[in-house]
Amino acid sequence: LPQPTDKKKTPVDTSSWGEFDIIALFDIINTKSIRQSDVQDQLQSNNGSTPYITASDKNNAILSYINCPQEWIDEGNCIFIGGKTTTVTYQQHDFCSNDSHNLALYLKNEQARTKYIQLYLASILKKAFAKYHWGDALSKAKIKAETIKLPLKPVANLENYTQDDIDWDYMDSFMQAVEEKAHERLVNLTHK
């Protein structure tokens, strides 16, 4: 398992990875939409219990916390994509969204729907969607034509692999190592 380092970024060897249709891996929905103007007072007070998500790349896309009516809440534990900005984040908790162009991707393999695996997948998707921008916004229809490469178990047949060969454990372990390394760096910063 490669370990994250503090040194220059080195490319990951993906030659033994498999290519998968995103639509085969995820259920993709457009999020519900509550305009900012409709919740402006709540946005300023920031004392609700539901994250109000936008397509921003700041603060994990959370603009504020509001008291959101149940009918406007999208289920968390998903990968959130700001459709117009292609911001990709992992949303652990149920949330309200500001735009129906935003997308929520729910991993079909529920056993693999863990925090660390989805953080790994969010990184992969962010790279895959880097070609999209405001003038060429990402949509549900465009995602259906996209693929991503994922690590395969060491015993996988590279000529004839399936989703059963995806190495979910590798993704989970790798992202846990990234989190531990980040935590160490933060501790070191606070003790200087």
Side-chain angles (χ1 to χ4, degrees), residues 182-192:
H183 180 72
E184 285 175 21
R185 292 179 73 192
L186 285 173
V187 168
N188 290 337
L189 283 173
T190 59
H191 289 84
K192 286 187 178 189

Side-chain angles (χ1 to χ4, degrees), residues 138-155:
L138 186 61
S139 66
K140 191 174 177 179
K142 289 179 182 176
I143 286 180
K144 289 180 179 181
E146 293 289 338
T147 62
I148 54 174
K149 289 186 87 172
L150 296 176
L152 299 175
K153 296 174 185 170
V155 295

